[in-house]
Structures are given as C-alpha cells and as structure tokens.
C-alpha cells in the first residue's frame, strides 16, 4: 500500500494510506482529492485512500545531465537568448542522487519544516514510484464554490526587502498571462 503526505501552507500535515488510480479523462473533474498527471497531461491519477494496486506505470525518466553539461548549455543559452525573441526562458536540470534507500517520511518532514510557507508533498506509490516536492505556488485551491490560483515569478531570498525591479514585474506579467490563458481554456 502506498503513502501520501501533503501540507498546504498554514494547515496541518495530512498522511493517507492507499494508492493512485488512473482517472478516465472525461470523469477526472468528478474526482475529489489529490491528483497528479504525466508531464504531457495525457494521463491523470488520483489518490484513493485504502486502495491497493499491484500494477506499475513506468513514468518516463527525465533526462539527467552532469554539472559540466549544464554549464555548457547555460553558456549557449546566455549567448543566444537575445536572438531567440522569447519573453522569458528558464534553464533547469534534473540532478539524480543515489544515496541508498529513500526514507520518504523523514524527507517529507524535513522538507515541510525547511519550507513552512510552501505546499509540500511526497508519495510512495506502487503505481507511480516515489515523488517529493515543495513549491510556494498553489495551483488550485477550492473553498466551497470559490476557486483560486496564483502565478509566481521572480526570485529573491526570504526576508529580502530589496524592491522588485522592472525585470521581475515583466516576468510576473508573462506568467500571469499564461496562467490566465490556460484557465480560460478550461
């Protein structure tokens, strides 16, 4: 049986036992609870408390790059970004760490303690494997009939009181416009 841990900012940690089940696309809106998707959004999975699943869906492994590969790509990125005519671009990488067995409970509690104002979650699932994350963004929050979301762009350290600059306002505008456009489709 899998486990799901999550904490919304300002709320208590929720710990559930069960398993993810694949949701039919035309019925996914009716599912109440924790939902995740594949990166392309073509498959949706909902956590079902008390459920036991023997199946395994192999998520596509992200492309792992070395630090050297990342720095070479960053140099190329810096040299060419002005000619690409894009409003905003982010270069990121996936770093694989293999330090032995994963103790997801300990990792989750350390993560949510480190980021008390973030939405944190972790799960171990026979179907989807193990995932852990923390984000300051709330994708969708529903209270009664009210639904809200947020867009977040720009970077600065917690407690930093340096004022935002035009660059950060432009980035925020791009992200907000994108989120609004996606939500209009839904």
């Amino acid at each position: 049986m899998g486990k799901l841990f999550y904490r919304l900012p300002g709320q208590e940690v929720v710990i559930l036992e069960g398993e993810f089940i694949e949701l039919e696309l035309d019925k996914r809106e009716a599912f109440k609870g924790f939902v995740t998707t594949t990166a392309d959004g073509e498959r949706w999975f909902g956590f079902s408390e008390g459920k036991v699943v023997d199946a395994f869906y192999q998520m596509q492994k992200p492309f792992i790059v070395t630090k050297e590969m990342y720095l070479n790509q960053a140099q190329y990125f810096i040299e060419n970004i002005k000619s690409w005519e894009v409003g905003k671009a982010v270069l990121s990488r996936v770093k694989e760490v293999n330090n032995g067995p994963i103790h997801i409970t300990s990792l989750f509690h350390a993560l949510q303690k480190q980021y008390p104002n973030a939405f944190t979650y972790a799960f171990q699932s026979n179907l989807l494997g193990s995932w852990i994350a923390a984000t300051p963004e709330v994708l969708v929050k529903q209270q009664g009939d009210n639904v809200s979301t947020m867009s977040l762009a720009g970077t600065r350290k917690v407690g930093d009181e340096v004022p935002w600059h035009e660059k950060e306002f432009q980035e925020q505008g791009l992200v907000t416009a994108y989120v609004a456009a996606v939500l209009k489709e839904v």
Side-chain angles (χ1 to χ4, degrees):
M1 185 172 293
K3 279 198 169 196
L4 168 66
F5 306 80
Y6 69 90
R7 190 218 45 221
L8 295 168
Q11 295 185 15
E12 295 295 316
V13 171
V14 175
I15 302 173
L16 303 173
E17 289 192 4
E19 189 55 73
F20 283 91
I21 56 171
E22 187 160 3
L23 304 174
E24 294 178 41
L25 292 181
D26 61 338
K27 297 181 182 172
R28 66 182 183 229
E29 289 85 10
F31 186 84
K32 303 291 184 211
F34 193 95
V35 175
T36 190
T37 71
T38 55
D40 59 13
E42 291 185 12
R43 297 180 77 176
W44 291 58
F45 303 89
F47 192 83
S48 181
E49 199 170 357
K51 182 80 171 171
V52 176
V53 174
D54 292 328
F56 182 76
Y57 171 67
Q58 183 64 44
M59 296 287 245
Q60 183 177 356
K61 186 175 180 176
F63 182 69
I64 309 295
V65 298
T66 65
K67 182 177 181 179
E68 181 182 3
M69 292 167 66
Y70 177 78
L71 292 174
N72 288 337
Q73 185 67 29
Q75 184 62 39
Y76 174 79
F77 197 80
I78 291 166
E79 291 171 0
N80 291 285
I81 193 162
K82 289 182 181 175
S83 66
W84 292 340
E85 298 181 18
V86 295
K88 177 172 174 67
V90 176
L91 178 64
S92 65
R93 76 179 184 126
V94 174
K95 181 178 178 182
E96 186 173 43
V97 178
N98 193 353
N99 291 338
I102 295 173
H103 300 285
I104 202 146
T105 304
S106 301
L107 285 172
F108 173 76
H109 288 300
L111 185 70
Q112 58 100 19
K113 187 174 181 178
Q114 178 75 27
Y115 299 100
N117 297 317
F119 166 52
T120 53
Y121 71 88
F123 61 79
Q124 283 184 310
S125 162
N126 290 333
L127 186 64
L128 301 178
S130 299
W131 294 78
I132 188 164
T135 178
E137 296 177 282
V138 175
L139 181 59
V140 177
K141 182 178 180 181
Q142 181 176 0
Q143 291 180 308
D145 291 338
N146 296 320
V147 176
S148 62
T149 188
M150 68 169 51
S151 63
L152 186 60
T155 305
R156 71 175 171 191
K157 293 180 180 178
V158 173
D160 192 351
E161 297 191 20
V162 175
W164 292 106
H165 296 95
E166 185 60 30
K167 176 185 173 284
E168 284 84 15
F169 286 113
Q170 288 176 350
E171 289 176 355
Q172 181 66 42
L174 290 167
V175 173
T176 300
Y178 176 76
V179 170
V182 170
L183 289 175
K184 284 181 183 177
E185 291 180 18
V186 180

